[in-house]
Amino acid sequence: MVVMRRRALLSAAVGVTVGTAGCLGSIRGSNRQVAQLGWFGVHNADPESSHTFTLIVERDGDVVHESSHDVDAAEDHDPGVASAGAVAECTWGETTGEYAVRVRRDGEEEAEKSISSFAAERGADCVVADAEYENYDATSEFLDGKRLSISLREACDNDGYLRRCSFTRG
């Protein structure tokens, strides 16, 4: 009968854990995919106030674009209808990478989305990002609060995006 001592068992377990650490890291990173960012814009659906939005694009952990845009208050905003907005210049270029986008409203509230995680879920190689600020207090008696959000879409071939990045056109 073979009896394994406790220390031998623990050292074997530590060796297996250390030996598989790289594999676990690659599994965690597998929910990302290199992609291209084809457009990044912001809409202000707040009928009460104009706001300043800062659009930030990161590629592989580095900021490759940052710009501020003053956007007027929405006039007669109807849900589902485009409101006042702005579009970032495509200064990040056609380089693929692990992208993330952030939007900041009036230097305070911020939202962020991973382009790469979205691309991996959808198998997309090009993604557009659309940030929107909504003021529910002003638009509905049933909803209260404000919301800054970013929507992602596989729509780089859609001509409906004003000033879409030129490198996304086929």
Side-chain angles (χ1 to χ4, degrees), residues 18-54:
V18 170
T20 60
C23 295
L24 292 175
S26 65
I27 290 169
R28 283 188 202 114
S30 68
N31 67 341
R32 299 191 184 278
Q33 176 174 322
V34 293
Q36 200 176 48
L37 177 61
W39 187 87
F40 187 23
V42 62
H43 294 94
N44 182 16
D46 181 352
E48 294 183 338
S49 305
S50 61
H51 297 282
T52 300
F53 296 94
T54 303

Short mmCIF file of all heavy atoms in Angstrom, two decimals, residues 18-54:
data_model
loop_
_atom_site.label_atom_id
_atom_site.label_comp_id
_atom_site.label_asym_id
_atom_site.label_seq_id
_atom_site.Cartn_x
_atom_site.Cartn_y
_atom_site.Cartn_z
N VAL A 18 0.80 25.85 -10.60
CA VAL A 18 1.73 26.76 -11.25
C VAL A 18 1.87 26.39 -12.72
O VAL A 18 1.89 27.23 -13.60
CB VAL A 18 3.11 26.75 -10.53
CG1 VAL A 18 4.15 27.49 -11.33
CG2 VAL A 18 2.97 27.34 -9.14
N GLY A 19 1.93 25.12 -13.02
CA GLY A 19 2.10 24.66 -14.40
C GLY A 19 0.92 24.99 -15.28
O GLY A 19 1.06 25.14 -16.49
N THR A 20 -0.29 25.10 -14.71
CA THR A 20 -1.47 25.40 -15.53
C THR A 20 -1.86 26.86 -15.48
O THR A 20 -2.82 27.26 -16.12
CB THR A 20 -2.68 24.55 -15.05
OG1 THR A 20 -2.96 24.87 -13.69
CG2 THR A 20 -2.42 23.08 -15.24
N ALA A 21 -1.11 27.70 -14.76
CA ALA A 21 -1.48 29.11 -14.64
C ALA A 21 -1.55 29.79 -15.99
O ALA A 21 -2.42 30.59 -16.27
CB ALA A 21 -0.50 29.84 -13.71
N GLY A 22 -0.61 29.52 -16.88
CA GLY A 22 -0.63 30.11 -18.21
C GLY A 22 -1.84 29.69 -19.00
O GLY A 22 -2.42 30.46 -19.76
N CYS A 23 -2.27 28.46 -18.85
CA CYS A 23 -3.47 27.97 -19.55
C CYS A 23 -4.71 28.71 -19.07
O CYS A 23 -5.56 29.08 -19.86
CB CYS A 23 -3.66 26.48 -19.33
SG CYS A 23 -2.34 25.49 -20.05
N LEU A 24 -4.81 28.95 -17.78
CA LEU A 24 -5.96 29.66 -17.25
C LEU A 24 -5.99 31.09 -17.77
O LEU A 24 -7.04 31.61 -18.11
CB LEU A 24 -5.94 29.66 -15.71
CG LEU A 24 -6.16 28.29 -15.06
CD1 LEU A 24 -5.99 28.41 -13.55
CD2 LEU A 24 -7.51 27.74 -15.40
N GLY A 25 -4.81 31.72 -17.85
CA GLY A 25 -4.74 33.08 -18.38
C GLY A 25 -5.21 33.13 -19.82
O GLY A 25 -5.92 34.05 -20.23
N SER A 26 -4.85 32.15 -20.63
CA SER A 26 -5.28 32.17 -22.02
C SER A 26 -6.77 31.88 -22.15
O SER A 26 -7.42 32.36 -23.05
CB SER A 26 -4.46 31.18 -22.86
OG SER A 26 -4.70 29.86 -22.45
N ILE A 27 -7.34 31.09 -21.23
CA ILE A 27 -8.78 30.85 -21.25
C ILE A 27 -9.51 32.15 -20.92
O ILE A 27 -10.48 32.51 -21.56
CB ILE A 27 -9.17 29.73 -20.26
CG1 ILE A 27 -8.65 28.40 -20.77
CG2 ILE A 27 -10.67 29.68 -20.05
CD1 ILE A 27 -8.75 27.27 -19.77
N ARG A 28 -9.03 32.88 -19.92
CA ARG A 28 -9.67 34.15 -19.56
C ARG A 28 -9.60 35.13 -20.72
O ARG A 28 -10.51 35.89 -20.95
CB ARG A 28 -8.99 34.75 -18.33
CG ARG A 28 -9.38 34.08 -17.06
CD ARG A 28 -8.83 34.83 -15.86
NE ARG A 28 -8.76 33.93 -14.75
CZ ARG A 28 -7.65 33.52 -14.17
NH1 ARG A 28 -6.49 33.95 -14.58
NH2 ARG A 28 -7.68 32.69 -13.17
N GLY A 29 -8.48 35.15 -21.43
CA GLY A 29 -8.31 36.08 -22.53
C GLY A 29 -9.02 35.65 -23.80
O GLY A 29 -9.08 36.40 -24.76
N SER A 30 -9.58 34.45 -23.84
CA SER A 30 -10.19 33.94 -25.06
C SER A 30 -11.53 34.60 -25.37
O SER A 30 -12.07 34.40 -26.44
CB SER A 30 -10.36 32.43 -24.99
OG SER A 30 -11.31 32.10 -24.01
N ASN A 31 -12.07 35.40 -24.45
CA ASN A 31 -13.33 36.08 -24.74
C ASN A 31 -13.08 37.42 -25.43
O ASN A 31 -13.94 38.25 -25.51
CB ASN A 31 -14.16 36.28 -23.47
CG ASN A 31 -13.52 37.25 -22.51
OD1 ASN A 31 -12.32 37.53 -22.57
ND2 ASN A 31 -14.30 37.78 -21.60
N ARG A 32 -11.89 37.61 -25.95
CA ARG A 32 -11.56 38.82 -26.68
C ARG A 32 -11.14 38.46 -28.09
O ARG A 32 -10.65 37.38 -28.36
CB ARG A 32 -10.42 39.57 -25.99
CG ARG A 32 -10.79 40.00 -24.58
CD ARG A 32 -9.75 40.96 -24.05
NE ARG A 32 -10.00 41.32 -22.69
CZ ARG A 32 -10.85 42.26 -22.31
NH1 ARG A 32 -11.55 42.91 -23.18
NH2 ARG A 32 -11.01 42.54 -21.05
N GLN A 33 -11.35 39.40 -29.00
CA GLN A 33 -10.98 39.19 -30.39
C GLN A 33 -10.48 40.51 -30.94
O GLN A 33 -11.04 41.56 -30.64
CB GLN A 33 -12.20 38.72 -31.17
CG GLN A 33 -11.97 38.56 -32.64
CD GLN A 33 -13.18 37.97 -33.33
OE1 GLN A 33 -13.84 37.11 -32.80
NE2 GLN A 33 -13.47 38.46 -34.52
N VAL A 34 -9.45 40.45 -31.75
CA VAL A 34 -9.03 41.69 -32.40
C VAL A 34 -10.09 42.07 -33.42
O VAL A 34 -10.70 41.21 -34.06
CB VAL A 34 -7.63 41.56 -33.07
CG1 VAL A 34 -6.56 41.36 -32.02
CG2 VAL A 34 -7.59 40.48 -34.10
N ALA A 35 -10.36 43.35 -33.51
CA ALA A 35 -11.41 43.84 -34.39
C ALA A 35 -11.03 45.24 -34.84
O ALA A 35 -10.03 45.81 -34.38
CB ALA A 35 -12.76 43.86 -33.66
N GLN A 36 -11.86 45.78 -35.69
CA GLN A 36 -11.68 47.14 -36.17
C GLN A 36 -12.84 47.98 -35.64
O GLN A 36 -13.97 47.48 -35.54
CB GLN A 36 -11.72 47.10 -37.70
CG GLN A 36 -11.11 48.26 -38.40
CD GLN A 36 -11.12 48.02 -39.91
OE1 GLN A 36 -12.14 47.64 -40.48
NE2 GLN A 36 -9.99 48.23 -40.55
N LEU A 37 -12.58 49.22 -35.26
CA LEU A 37 -13.63 50.14 -34.83
C LEU A 37 -13.96 51.03 -36.02
O LEU A 37 -13.10 51.77 -36.51
CB LEU A 37 -13.17 50.97 -33.64
CG LEU A 37 -14.15 52.02 -33.13
CD1 LEU A 37 -15.45 51.37 -32.65
CD2 LEU A 37 -13.52 52.83 -32.00
N GLY A 38 -15.20 50.95 -36.51
CA GLY A 38 -15.59 51.63 -37.73
C GLY A 38 -16.33 52.94 -37.54
O GLY A 38 -16.58 53.65 -38.52
N TRP A 39 -16.69 53.29 -36.31
CA TRP A 39 -17.44 54.53 -36.06
C TRP A 39 -17.66 54.66 -34.57
O TRP A 39 -17.87 53.66 -33.88
CB TRP A 39 -18.78 54.45 -36.78
CG TRP A 39 -19.63 55.69 -36.77
CD1 TRP A 39 -19.57 56.72 -37.68
CD2 TRP A 39 -20.68 56.03 -35.87
NE1 TRP A 39 -20.52 57.66 -37.39
CE2 TRP A 39 -21.22 57.26 -36.28
CE3 TRP A 39 -21.23 55.40 -34.75
CZ2 TRP A 39 -22.27 57.87 -35.61
CZ3 TRP A 39 -22.27 56.02 -34.09
CH2 TRP A 39 -22.79 57.25 -34.53
N PHE A 40 -17.60 55.88 -34.03
CA PHE A 40 -17.92 56.12 -32.62
C PHE A 40 -18.58 57.48 -32.53
O PHE A 40 -17.99 58.50 -32.86
CB PHE A 40 -16.66 56.06 -31.77
CG PHE A 40 -16.90 56.13 -30.27
CD1 PHE A 40 -18.10 55.78 -29.69
CD2 PHE A 40 -15.88 56.55 -29.42
CE1 PHE A 40 -18.31 55.82 -28.32
CE2 PHE A 40 -16.06 56.60 -28.05
CZ PHE A 40 -17.27 56.24 -27.49
N GLY A 41 -19.84 57.47 -32.12
CA GLY A 41 -20.60 58.71 -32.01
C GLY A 41 -21.34 58.79 -30.70
O GLY A 41 -21.40 57.82 -29.93
N VAL A 42 -21.93 59.96 -30.44
CA VAL A 42 -22.69 60.17 -29.22
C VAL A 42 -23.95 60.97 -29.55
O VAL A 42 -23.92 61.84 -30.43
CB VAL A 42 -21.85 60.89 -28.13
CG1 VAL A 42 -21.42 62.28 -28.56
CG2 VAL A 42 -22.60 60.95 -26.80
N HIS A 43 -25.05 60.64 -28.88
CA HIS A 43 -26.32 61.35 -29.03
C HIS A 43 -26.79 61.84 -27.68
O HIS A 43 -26.68 61.13 -26.68
CB HIS A 43 -27.38 60.43 -29.65
CG HIS A 43 -27.05 60.04 -31.04
ND1 HIS A 43 -26.39 58.88 -31.34
CD2 HIS A 43 -27.27 60.69 -32.20
CE1 HIS A 43 -26.21 58.82 -32.64
NE2 HIS A 43 -26.73 59.90 -33.19
N ASN A 44 -27.34 63.04 -27.67
CA ASN A 44 -27.89 63.62 -26.46
C ASN A 44 -29.41 63.59 -26.57
O ASN A 44 -30.00 64.35 -27.34
CB ASN A 44 -27.39 65.06 -26.28
CG ASN A 44 -27.91 65.69 -25.01
OD1 ASN A 44 -28.38 64.99 -24.11
ND2 ASN A 44 -27.82 67.00 -24.92
N ALA A 45 -30.05 62.73 -25.81
CA ALA A 45 -31.51 62.62 -25.82
C ALA A 45 -32.12 63.34 -24.61
O ALA A 45 -33.21 63.01 -24.17
CB ALA A 45 -31.92 61.15 -25.84
N ASP A 46 -31.40 64.31 -24.09
CA ASP A 46 -31.88 65.11 -22.97
C ASP A 46 -32.53 66.37 -23.52
O ASP A 46 -31.85 67.24 -24.07
CB ASP A 46 -30.70 65.48 -22.06
CG ASP A 46 -31.12 66.28 -20.84
OD1 ASP A 46 -32.29 66.69 -20.74
OD2 ASP A 46 -30.25 66.51 -19.98
N PRO A 47 -33.85 66.51 -23.41
CA PRO A 47 -34.52 67.69 -23.95
C PRO A 47 -34.31 68.94 -23.12
O PRO A 47 -34.66 70.04 -23.55
CB PRO A 47 -35.99 67.28 -23.99
CG PRO A 47 -36.12 66.27 -22.90
CD PRO A 47 -34.80 65.55 -22.83
N GLU A 48 -33.73 68.80 -21.94
CA GLU A 48 -33.58 69.95 -21.05
C GLU A 48 -32.24 70.65 -21.15
O GLU A 48 -32.15 71.84 -20.89
CB GLU A 48 -33.79 69.50 -19.59
CG GLU A 48 -35.19 69.04 -19.31
CD GLU A 48 -35.41 68.67 -17.85
OE1 GLU A 48 -34.42 68.36 -17.17
OE2 GLU A 48 -36.57 68.67 -17.42
N SER A 49 -31.16 69.92 -21.49
CA SER A 49 -29.82 70.51 -21.40
C SER A 49 -28.89 70.03 -22.49
O SER A 49 -28.95 68.88 -22.92
CB SER A 49 -29.16 70.15 -20.07
OG SER A 49 -29.94 70.50 -18.98
N SER A 50 -27.99 70.92 -22.90
CA SER A 50 -26.87 70.50 -23.74
C SER A 50 -25.81 69.93 -22.80
O SER A 50 -25.82 70.21 -21.59
CB SER A 50 -26.33 71.68 -24.54
OG SER A 50 -25.87 72.69 -23.67
N HIS A 51 -24.92 69.12 -23.34
CA HIS A 51 -23.87 68.49 -22.53
C HIS A 51 -22.58 68.41 -23.33
O HIS A 51 -22.60 68.42 -24.57
CB HIS A 51 -24.28 67.07 -22.11
CG HIS A 51 -25.48 67.03 -21.23
ND1 HIS A 51 -25.43 67.33 -19.89
CD2 HIS A 51 -26.77 66.73 -21.52
CE1 HIS A 51 -26.65 67.21 -19.38
NE2 HIS A 51 -27.48 66.85 -20.35
N THR A 52 -21.48 68.30 -22.61
CA THR A 52 -20.18 68.06 -23.23
C THR A 52 -19.83 66.60 -23.02
O THR A 52 -19.84 66.11 -21.89
CB THR A 52 -19.09 68.96 -22.61
OG1 THR A 52 -19.46 70.33 -22.81
CG2 THR A 52 -17.74 68.69 -23.25
N PHE A 53 -19.55 65.92 -24.13
CA PHE A 53 -19.20 64.50 -24.09
C PHE A 53 -17.76 64.32 -24.53
O PHE A 53 -17.34 64.90 -25.53
CB PHE A 53 -20.12 63.70 -25.02
CG PHE A 53 -21.56 63.73 -24.61
CD1 PHE A 53 -22.42 64.66 -25.15
CD2 PHE A 53 -22.04 62.82 -23.68
CE1 PHE A 53 -23.76 64.70 -24.76
CE2 PHE A 53 -23.37 62.85 -23.28
CZ PHE A 53 -24.23 63.79 -23.83
N THR A 54 -17.02 63.53 -23.78
CA THR A 54 -15.66 63.18 -24.16
C THR A 54 -15.68 61.73 -24.62
O THR A 54 -16.13 60.85 -23.89
CB THR A 54 -14.70 63.33 -22.97
OG1 THR A 54 -14.77 64.68 -22.50
CG2 THR A 54 -13.27 63.02 -23.37
#
